[in-house]
Amino acid sequence: MRPAVEVEALHRSFNRTGGVLHGLDLRIGAGEFVALIGRSGSGKSTLLRALAGLDRGVDGHGRVRVPAKVSMVFQDSRLLPWKRVLDNVVLGLDGRDARERGRRALAEVGLAGREKAWPHQLSGGEAQRAALARSLVRDPELLLADEPFGALDALTRLNMHTLLRELCERHRPAVLLVTHDVDEAIVLADRVIVLDDGVVQSDVRVELGSRRDPADAGFAALRRRLLGALGVDVDEDGLVHDPDPDDLAHDRPDRSRGTDRKTDRTTGRTTGREGA
Amino acid sequence: MSTPTLTRSEQVAAGTRIAGTPTDDRVRLRRLGPGRRVPGGILLGPVLLLAGWVVGSATGLLDERTLSAPWTVLETARELWADGRLQDGLVTSATRAALGLGLGVAVGLVLAVVAGLFRLGEAVIDGPVQVKRSIPSLALIPLLILWFGIGEEMKVCTIALGVLVPIYIHTHHGLRGIDSRYAELAETIGLGRLAFLRQVVVPGALPGFLLGLRFAVTSALLALVVVEQVNATSGIGYMITLASSYGQTDVIVVGLVVYAVLGLAADGAVRLIGRKALTWRRTLES
């Protein structure tokens, strides 16, 4: 079967100050859930925007093929404040059954009864659910998500993970999810791709079945492997070792201390000395 | 002990307020907004002004030749109404103002949208509007008289030119203030240009437009007064000018009151529209 997304030798750069994507290749199968992780500046968002067709005016070349129906979920819900929730969900749709479909999509994300609410009356999690409904109602063959849960609190985020998995199993779009959270990537995805300096650095299939427990040995091993790919040294107990600055300078001259903070953010809640 | 560390019972004994009791001030002090809406708040100022007028006239502080008493003005208004002069003037003036306002709003709105959505439009339109902005309507009247004569066209055009500027400026400002992320969203869900205009641009620029409309209403009435004092043969302004030459203070005041009522009513209408149309906003206003 032909993959849903094909990217070949994709180059992108902003204002000649160095490229962001350097000949990136990527394939996503129909119905496949791919999570994209990488340090800040590794080109995650640039790749996502290229797939969404939002990078007009950006220098670059390469081949990108995406399905006809692409939906995007942003980090902010991006609901129009002057439209009620249902009107936001069906924005730009026409046809007699559009509102009915919108209502069904809202019910699916657990927002039945909130059709007439204004966006400012929703909590952060509810707003993001509405944004998901806005994407789903368009029956996307490809769903692009740019850190959609990044601004949510931990508990809401867990609920959203469950919801997103259910929705994707039912609707089977191809998904490309950009995230900073390695655990989130492992919990949700069929495949995790680590992006580094504009190319795919690792491409790991997640073979943990449908019940994924962070306390599981397989889960921990995969997390360690991915964190390693991100340049974070983790031992068996999930402890991050303080990288020796001299070592770092020797092995990876491009990774100075300034990026350590970003790496910490990337590892999210799985790291941290107090977590042991 | 006079230190602030009193026990709860000591505080009760001293009659001081305790957190949690209904007399706690802190919740109220923390509110930084303007507070609750005063019922009929918009009328409070005018009513106070009117009360001052009544008191001044009744006590003789205001001389009858300087400013007629409210009851004299009412009586005059009744007489003017009885012989039909007041209605005629009112209809003529209101029609002029409404026509000028409508024309000015339409033109200003189109110019603002064109200038807001197209760089070329902005380059062409913005300069001339700023130039117009610095020329008072009064200064344009001689030219407009040469072009249109001294009839209604001249008057409506003068009013429209005054209205156009605030509508343009505020709508343009509101439109440019729309978050560019909404344009990005519109692109990802494939909205067409027309749908983008209707669903994003118009509602997004509406708060700016409504503010412009409030200024525009005032501009329209200002311009109305100006054109009615120059070469008019009908309308409230004509009535005032005529009364001025006969020294009829009461008729002048009736005219002024009519202008005031027109202005207040128009502003109230715009505010009401604004409050209905902008229910989605969560601001200090609501």
Side-chain angles (χ1 to χ4, degrees), chain B residues 258-280:
Chain B
V258 170
Y259 276 142
V261 169
L262 268 181
L264 215 56
D267 191 54
V270 176
R271 273 166 180 257
L272 192 71
I273 295 170
R275 219 179 304 155
K276 293 273 178 244
L278 301 178
T279 40
W280 53 270

Side-chain angles (χ1 to χ4, degrees), chain A residues 241-253:
Chain A
H241 286 278
D242 234 345
D244 188 280
D246 289 339
D247 261 17
L248 220 85
H250 271 294
D251 294 347
R252 297 196 159 96

